[in-house]
């Protein structure tokens, strides 16, 4: 049985209505758990896809790169595969795949007709000797072949892990050029794996901290075009922006949307004091959430939109606190050694990621929302600014190399801390913001 999902959304191209995403199969016996105990990747076979040779090869390679890039799967080499079918509809010789220890098998066919492609795929539990879930068909414009590949990889990942997908998503970031004391910066948007970068601002003024809206259609960011940091909002499709805060003698920074997009939380410095403010995204009306002589910054909403985690030095050193939308006395949740900052609440709601400085080392860490189970995932000269993947199981961050010419680079790491990888970019980048899954 095949289900069909039409992919038609790409920046700058014509959009068409989307079919409702199909439900995932729930009865598959093959399942990998994402826990600290995952050490040996699951062997998976992805033989060459049938159909148009060039497009099929590219789609297959992206699917394989997505899956193996998680660290949870190991691709069985092509020269070890002894039972490749001759056609997409051929029966599966499970015994031959078991002989090379393949636990999961993916077969697919990619056909191109004019400006459109059609991708069918099936997945099999080799040891159970049966399909795992329904086959699916994705129809897309030929230029969207990478999105079709990400959609397939998302389906496979979710069926094998039980976790939400994250490959068909985008990341906003800041490209950096020039020496450290004279950096030129502009905002870009790219696929989660660094492909297809699009530039959203020029380099005429300093820009920082882009943040996707929950629907992925807008970007908040900080601009110095007035001479002081102020918040602007950009429509991603039209690449046009407008100011949300005005200059004067105040500075506004570190903006983030609420999960429903109704509110914007940010830091505002007035008269030498910095507090957390809440703005109605539609009307611009704002009010203070904190009122303390300390520095309060880097706010981030909980997924239910009822609480905000932020950084404050009210206890003497930067620590993490949680406050409700009605204000009141914040609750401190970090108590370890060193300094904590730039918290980001997981989309699943179960964890908070943060930057942790201890001595001369920086870490990206995670803790539960009550401050328990604290764990550093990375360690380097300077790691900072974590942002969560849509499934809440992978974090992207900025790593800066030491030295006067040290460049920032984007890395990702999963919640086990065992699968840290640099993004394959040919430019320096910082301030990542992971957007939602594409529709």
């Amino acid at each position: 049985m095949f289900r069909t999902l039409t992919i038609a959304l790409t920046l700058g191209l014509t959009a068409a209505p989307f079919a409702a995403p199909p439900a995932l199969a729930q009865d598959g016996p093959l399942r990998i758990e994402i826990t600290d105990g995952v050490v040996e990747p699951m062997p998976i076979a992805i033989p060459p896809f049938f159909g148009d040779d060039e497009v099929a090869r590219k789609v297959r390679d992206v699917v394989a790169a997505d899956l193996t890039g998680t660290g949870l799967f190991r691709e069985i080499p092509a020269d070890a595969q002894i039972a490749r079918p001759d056609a997409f509809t051929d029966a599966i010789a499970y015994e031959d795949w078991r002989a090379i220890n393949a636990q999961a098998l993916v077969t697919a066919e990619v056909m191109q007709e004019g400006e459109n492609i059609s991708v069918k795929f099936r997945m099999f539990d080799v040891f159970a000797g049966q399909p795992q879930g329904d086959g699916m068909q994705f129809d897309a414009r030929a230029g969207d072949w990478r999105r079709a590949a990400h959609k397939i990889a998302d389906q496979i990942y979710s069926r094998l892990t039980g976790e939400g997908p994250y490959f068909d998503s985008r990341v906003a970031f800041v490209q950096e050029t020039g020496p450290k004391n004279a950096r030129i910066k502009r905002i870009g948007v790219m696929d989660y794996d660094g492909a297809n970068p699009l530039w959203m601002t020029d380099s005429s003024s300093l820009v920082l901290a882009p943040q996707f809206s929950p629907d992925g259609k807008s970007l908040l960011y900080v601009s110095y075009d007035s001479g002081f940091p102020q918040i602007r909002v950009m429509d991603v499709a039209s690449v046009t922006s407008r100011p949300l805060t005005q200059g004067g003698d105040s500075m506004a920074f570190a903006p983030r949307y609420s999960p429903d997009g109704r509110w914007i939380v940010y830091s505002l410095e007035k008269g030498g004091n910095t507090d957390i403010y809440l703005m109605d995204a539609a009307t611009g009306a704002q009010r203070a959430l904190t009122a303390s002589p300390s520095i309060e910054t880097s706010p981030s909403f909980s997924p239910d939109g009822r609480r905000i985690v932020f950084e404050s030095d009210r206890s003497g050193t930067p620590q993490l606190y949680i406050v409700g939308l009605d204000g009141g006395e914040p609750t401190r949740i970090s108590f370890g050694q060193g300094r904590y900052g730039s918290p980001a609440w997981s989309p699943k709601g179960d964890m908070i990621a943060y930057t942790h400085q201890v001595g001369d080392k920086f870490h990206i860490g995670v803790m539960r929302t009550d401050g328990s189970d604290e764990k550093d995932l990375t360690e380097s000269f300077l790691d900072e600014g974590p942002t969560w993947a849509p499934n809440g199981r992978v974090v992207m961050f900025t790593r800066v190399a030491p030295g006067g010419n040290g460049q920032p680079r984007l890395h990702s790491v999963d919640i086990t801390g065992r699968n840290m990888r640099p993004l394959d970019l040919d430019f320096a980048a910082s301030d990542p913001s992971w957007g939602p899954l594409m529709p």
Side-chain angles (χ1 to χ4, degrees):
M1 176 180 177
F2 278 90
R3 297 191 180 108
T4 300
L5 177 65
T6 298
I7 303 172
L9 180 63
T10 299
L11 286 173
L13 301 182
T14 303
F18 282 84
L24 299 179
Q26 299 295 318
D27 56 351
L30 189 60
R31 180 63 60 86
I32 186 170
E33 299 292 335
I34 303 177
T35 69
D36 286 353
V38 175
V39 176
E40 184 63 30
M42 174 189 288
I44 183 170
I46 313 174
F49 290 177
F50 297 100
D52 181 278
D53 289 346
E54 178 63 16
V55 182
R57 180 190 61 76
K58 292 192 297 185
V59 172
R60 195 216 75 92
D61 288 351
V62 170
V63 171
D66 284 348
L67 295 173
T68 57
T70 65
L72 300 174
F73 307 101
R74 174 177 61 82
E75 184 184 0
I76 294 178
D79 58 7
Q81 299 170 9
I82 58 177
R84 290 181 189 170
D86 295 324
F88 177 66
T89 55
D90 281 1
I92 301 300
Y94 290 107
E95 288 295 336
D96 290 339
W97 293 104
R98 291 188 192 109
I100 59 172
N101 197 36
Q103 295 191 30
L105 168 67
V106 175
T107 65
E109 182 179 55
V110 183
M111 303 300 292
Q112 181 167 359
E113 183 173 349
E115 296 300 317
N116 299 307
I117 61 171
S118 176
V119 184
K120 299 176 182 176
F121 91 96
R122 296 191 296 175
M123 182 175 162
F124 302 91
D125 181 338
V126 173
F127 282 88
Q130 64 184 26
Q132 185 160 9
D134 294 333
M136 292 186 67
Q137 176 174 321
F138 295 85
D139 296 325
R141 290 175 295 180
D144 286 336
W145 65 269
R146 294 191 93 260
R147 286 203 59 198
H150 290 320
K151 288 290 189 189
I152 293 172
D154 275 336
Q155 288 289 321
I156 297 168
Y157 175 85
S158 291
R159 293 182 188 190
L160 290 177
T161 66
E163 296 282 347
Y166 67 93
F167 303 126
D168 188 29
S169 59
R170 295 179 296 174
V171 173
F173 63 96
V174 173
Q175 183 204 34
E176 300 193 19
T177 57
K180 281 187 174 180
N181 59 356
R183 282 283 163 84
I184 297 173
K185 301 188 179 186
R186 60 175 174 168
I187 291 173
V189 172
M190 62 187 176
D191 295 356
Y192 97 98
D193 56 3
N196 298 325
L198 298 172
W199 305 115
M200 312 304 288
T201 65
D202 59 27
S203 53
S204 59
S205 63
L206 182 63
V207 290
L208 300 169
Q211 294 289 326
F212 265 115
S213 61
D215 61 8
K217 296 180 179 178
S218 301
L219 280 176
L220 298 172
Y221 65 100
V222 176
S223 171
Y224 281 74
D225 58 357
S226 66
F228 290 91
Q230 297 298 325
I231 299 170
R232 298 183 69 88
V233 60
M234 173 180 291
D235 179 82
V236 174
S238 64
V239 198
T240 57
S241 70
R242 60 183 174 83
L244 288 180
T245 59
Q246 303 297 327
D249 58 354
S250 64
M251 295 185 290
F253 51 95
R256 273 185 174 145
Y257 277 104
S258 62
D260 61 4
R262 178 182 176 187
W263 303 101
I264 295 169
V265 66
Y266 64 103
S267 292
L268 184 66
E269 190 275 339
K270 290 196 299 186
N273 188 39
T274 303
D275 279 301
I276 305 296
Y277 279 70
L278 192 66
M279 175 190 294
D280 187 313
T283 67
Q286 57 182 290
R287 62 181 173 87
L289 278 181
T290 64
S292 168
S294 53
I295 297 174
E296 329 267 44
T297 188
S298 300
S300 174
F301 270 97
S302 61
D304 63 8
R306 296 179 178 177
R307 295 177 292 168
I308 290 170
V309 61
F310 64 98
E311 169 191 339
S312 173
D313 64 356
R314 62 178 61 200
S315 62
T317 60
Q319 300 290 333
L320 304 185
Y321 293 79
I322 289 178
V323 66
L325 281 193
D326 295 332
E329 186 64 24
T331 300
R332 180 176 170 178
I333 62 169
S334 63
F335 293 92
Q337 295 182 344
R339 305 156 66 94
Y340 295 79
S342 58
W345 211 308
S346 161
K348 295 188 70 170
D350 56 344
M351 292 183 177
I352 291 171
Y354 51 85
T355 301
H356 187 198
Q357 181 186 6
V358 182
D360 60 355
K361 298 293 185 183
F362 280 77
H363 312 264
I364 298 299
V366 293
M367 63 172 63
R368 300 205 175 273
T369 57
D370 61 0
S372 64
D373 293 341
E374 177 180 340
K375 177 170 60 178
D376 287 337
L377 304 177
T378 73
E379 177 182 300
S380 85
F381 167 73
L382 178 54
D383 287 348
E384 60 183 0
T387 179
W388 288 95
N391 71 346
R393 286 295 174 260
V394 180
V395 172
M396 190 176 292
F397 60 97
T398 303
R399 169 164 290 183
V400 181
N405 296 320
Q407 298 289 324
R409 298 288 177 182
L410 300 185
H411 289 62
S412 65
V413 63
D414 65 14
I415 57 170
T416 70
R418 292 196 171 109
N419 185 43
M420 191 182 71
R421 295 170 181 261
L423 260 68
D424 184 17
L425 302 175
D426 59 5
F427 50 81
S430 64
D431 291 18
S433 170
W434 213 317
L437 280 177
M438 301 279 277

